[in-house]
Amino acid sequence: MKKAVISGVAAMTMLASPSFGGNIYVSTTGNDSADGTKERPFATLTRAIKQAREWRRLHNPNAEGGIYITMCGGTYTQEKPIFLRPEDSGTATSPTIIQAAEGEQVTISGGKMVTNWQKGTDDERVRPELRSKLWIADAPTMGNRIVETRQLWVNGKKALRASQFGKNVMERMTDFRIDDESIIIPISSLKKSGLKVDGTYPQLEMIVHQRWAIAILRVKAMQDMGDGNVRVTFHNPESQLEFAHPWPQPVIGGERGNSSFCLVNALEMLDEPGEWYQDYPSGKIYYYPREGEDMAKAEAIVPVVDKLMAVEGSNERRVSNITFSNIAFEHSAWLQPSYEGLVTLQGGFAMIDAYKLHEPGLPEKAELENQAWIKRPASAISIHHSDNINFRNCAFRHLSATALDYETACYNSIIDNCIVDEIGGNGIMIGAFPDRGFETHVPYIPQVTTDICHDITISNCQISDAANEDWGAVGIAAGYVRNVTIDHNHVYNLPYSGICVGWGWTALESGMRENKITNNEVHDFALMLYDAGGIYTLSNQPNSLISGNKIYNIGKSPYATNERAFEIYFDEATDGFTVKDNDCTGHFGYNKPGPKLVISD
């Protein structure tokens, strides 16, 4: 199995186990009934964490000076999340360090292999000339159920769900009709993709380009209008949300034409190497191999869990002083659009309710003409009510929603020298983006003032190819935060924005302050959407700083209805920043030594 880990600079800085600390060992060939020594290691990280918890609870001398959980090389497959709780906390003088064995590669994976591929099909939905080229396999099971998935990786490369025209290729819609909740598309676009207006495509979805976000809508019905166009309607809840909310919506008659769409997820459209489709309810997976791929030998993985790890404290009892070093986290799932579609406000935040006000105005914002309530996007790793939870020299890859999320009341933590690559949602998130019953335009001033995340540093990280499932997500997203430092990161290859700090669209005091975005290199962003920024800010953030950044290569989305994108974008109510010594003049080329990725057999 090919795996990617950090080495080189990272291996030199890996935390070593001193003689005065307690040592616990984990191995893929271990046994959870063993004693966790180097000679008799445990099999799972969860069992090792429990051992460390017991040492601390019983005041065992092994806890003095730190507890070092060392994982031997290999892939540790999860069928449930790893949980860290207040009882797992270390102290400043006795932290818990979870690390890879020196020189070895460790991956925590939420994936399962797809095996027993058979070549060829007689399924009449497949074009006759392609039937001998496709490979078919049964999806694995999880417990007593067939795994349903929206993601497949073959030999470490993400496969593309069967789509209308190919990867990120779209076509202009004809009309967007609020009155009957329909989108009008040319009938020619169906013919190009092998679909029929009167066909049955129960899993068909439409991806809609709408300015700075996308919508993923499950198709309910299609109707031939007799004039060269097709009327498409959608399932709820996404249909009501898509047509009720005003920002963002598709554009009809924009500077560069109407907004765009593409149809995905019908077997009839599986016609290019690297595409795949999962049938429902049989679970069968169809795949068209890329050149050189032999599915009898290939490594094919689907994710079976959406959460790899959760650090769960509370206001009363926090989690603290835990560091992860040289660990790779891979293969998490994201299924929301399959069950309820996806209509986002911005930055990957799905709406749960939204509409245009007939009479504008809220007490906090007299000119406001719409309201929206959102929910936080899913994440592979989530952290709550914690401090000194650090990730050093780690890799986050092949994750289908947000990779790493410091959500509420997180302090004094560091993400340093990490690789965040091939992520479906936001790369890294920090802080409050008030959700559930909190209207998103109302300034967030928590009753418990310590709920604001603060003193978190993201440094020396490489963040690339984020937002490849939800194009409106970003590389780094910080909401209501204080004294957050984003420094010396390389952020690139993004469909929307690079580094985003702030939320709320408000000039009022809200606790956001003293945030620093310094010495980053951001490029090749706004590749698919617009109204974007390499560095993007919202709202009043006193005593904050943007300095020393290099930003270049703004994308030219072929489907945007205008070209509104900027190197640095001060969006609504931005205030409080000192901005100096940033270079937005051209192409520089990234040459700072950073984490090295080593692929080994």
Side-chain angles (χ1 to χ4, degrees), residues 56 217 251 292 433 479:
R56 294 192 186 280
L217 310 174
V251 173
F433 297 80

Side-chain angles (χ1 to χ4, degrees), residues 266-319:
L267 183 56
E268 289 80 355
M269 294 189 290
L270 205 171
D271 60 359
E272 291 188 10
E275 287 190 331
W276 72 286
Y277 170 80
Q278 184 179 32
D279 210 25
Y280 181 86
S282 72
K284 287 189 178 297
I285 295 174
Y286 296 73
Y287 180 65
Y288 190 163
R290 303 178 184 96
E291 185 176 355
E293 289 178 337
D294 180 355
M295 298 309 295
K297 301 176 182 178
E299 176 195 78
I301 297 176
V302 294
V304 298
V305 293
D306 56 5
K307 180 75 68 180
L308 295 181
M309 186 169 70
V311 181
E312 296 282 353
S314 67
N315 278 320
E316 296 76 22
R317 302 182 70 241
R318 299 175 60 76
V319 185

Side-chain angles (χ1 to χ4, degrees), residues 307 376 379 382-384 405-410 430-432 451 453:
K307 180 75 68 180
R376 198 176 189 98
S379 60
S382 60
I383 303 171
H384 291 268
D405 190 358
Y406 288 77
E407 295 193 21
T408 306
C410 297
I430 303 174
D451 278 353
C453 291

Side-chain angles (χ1 to χ4, degrees), residues 409-424:
C410 297
Y411 323 141
N412 304 320
S413 297
I414 295 170
I415 308 104
D416 182 66
N417 205 55
C418 292
I419 288 178
V420 183
D421 180 57
E422 207 270 271
I423 306 298

Side-chain angles (χ1 to χ4, degrees), residues 258-271:
N258 296 347
S259 286
S260 299
F261 73 95
C262 64
L263 296 170
V264 299
N265 205 40
L267 183 56
E268 289 80 355
M269 294 189 290
L270 205 171
D271 60 359

Side-chain angles (χ1 to χ4, degrees), residues 142-441:
M142 178 70 167
N144 63 350
R145 298 182 64 83
I146 296 171
V147 170
E148 183 179 355
T149 181
R150 297 176 65 88
Q151 297 85 30
L152 169 69
W153 293 275
V154 179
N155 294 337
K157 187 174 182 180
K158 193 171 188 177
L160 175 71
R161 296 173 89 213
S163 62
Q164 191 170 15
F165 305 121
K167 184 177 180 180
N168 298 345
V169 178
M170 311 187 86
E171 185 165 305
R172 304 283 179 184
M173 63 180 64
T174 303
D175 201 2
F176 181 83
R177 295 184 175 179
I178 295 174
D179 55 348
D180 65 356
E181 296 186 5
S182 69
I183 293 176
I184 311 303
I185 64 174
I187 197 169
S188 59
S189 66
L190 288 186
K191 294 178 179 178
K192 292 176 187 175
S193 55
L195 302 181
K196 299 177 181 178
V197 177
D198 57 355
T200 300
Y201 312 106
Q203 305 305 113
L204 186 65
E205 298 173 359
M206 179 184 285
I207 298 175
V208 180
H209 186 298
Q210 40 198 45
R211 312 184 196 199
W212 57 86
I214 63 168
I216 302 175
L217 310 174
R218 295 168 300 161
V219 173
K220 181 178 181 180
M222 295 186 290
Q223 176 188 2
D224 190 342
M225 300 180 69
D227 60 356
N229 291 301
V230 176
R231 175 178 175 267
V232 187
T233 55
F234 309 95
H235 291 286
N236 275 316
E238 65 266 37
S239 181
Q240 187 275 328
L241 288 167
E242 172 68 5
F243 293 92
H245 80 280
W247 301 108
Q249 272 189 348
V251 173
I252 300 299
E255 297 170 22
R256 295 171 58 189
N258 296 347
S259 286
S260 299
F261 73 95
C262 64
L263 296 170
V264 299
N265 205 40
L267 183 56
E268 289 80 355
M269 294 189 290
L270 205 171
D271 60 359
E272 291 188 10
E275 287 190 331
W276 72 286
Y277 170 80
Q278 184 179 32
D279 210 25
Y280 181 86
S282 72
K284 287 189 178 297
I285 295 174
Y286 296 73
Y287 180 65
Y288 190 163
R290 303 178 184 96
E291 185 176 355
E293 289 178 337
D294 180 355
M295 298 309 295
K297 301 176 182 178
E299 176 195 78
I301 297 176
V302 294
V304 298
V305 293
D306 56 5
K307 180 75 68 180
L308 295 181
M309 186 169 70
V311 181
E312 296 282 353
S314 67
N315 278 320
E316 296 76 22
R317 302 182 70 241
R318 299 175 60 76
V319 185
S320 60
N321 294 291
I322 301 172
T323 292
F324 293 85
S325 178
N326 208 35
I327 305 290
F329 299 87
E330 297 191 2
H331 306 127
S332 66
W334 181 56
L335 286 172
Q336 175 184 323
S338 296
Y339 290 91
E340 55 188 71
L342 179 75
V343 182
T344 60
L345 176 70
Q346 187 167 318
F349 286 84
M351 296 184 193
I352 57 176
D353 194 13
Y355 58 88
K356 185 176 179 65
L357 296 170
H358 294 294
E359 295 185 16
L362 292 181
E364 300 83 2
K365 193 170 185 179
E367 70 276 17
L368 187 71
E369 41 70 60
N370 77 100
Q371 290 191 288
W373 293 263
I374 59 176
K375 67 178 179 180
R376 198 176 189 98
S379 60
I381 300 171
S382 60
I383 303 171
H384 291 268
H385 296 89
S386 303
D387 56 87
N388 289 289
I389 306 298
N390 308 310
F391 293 84
R392 297 181 181 275
N393 316 316
C394 291
F396 306 86
R397 311 187 71 188
H398 310 319
L399 303 172
S400 302
T402 293
L404 176 61
D405 190 358
Y406 288 77
E407 295 193 21
T408 306
C410 297
Y411 323 141
N412 304 320
S413 297
I414 295 170
I415 308 104
D416 182 66
N417 205 55
C418 292
I419 288 178
V420 183
D421 180 57
E422 207 270 271
I423 306 298
N426 295 303
I428 300 173
M429 287 180 61
I430 303 174
F433 297 80
D435 55 0
R436 292 173 289 189
F438 198 101
E439 204 283 324
T440 196
H441 300 92

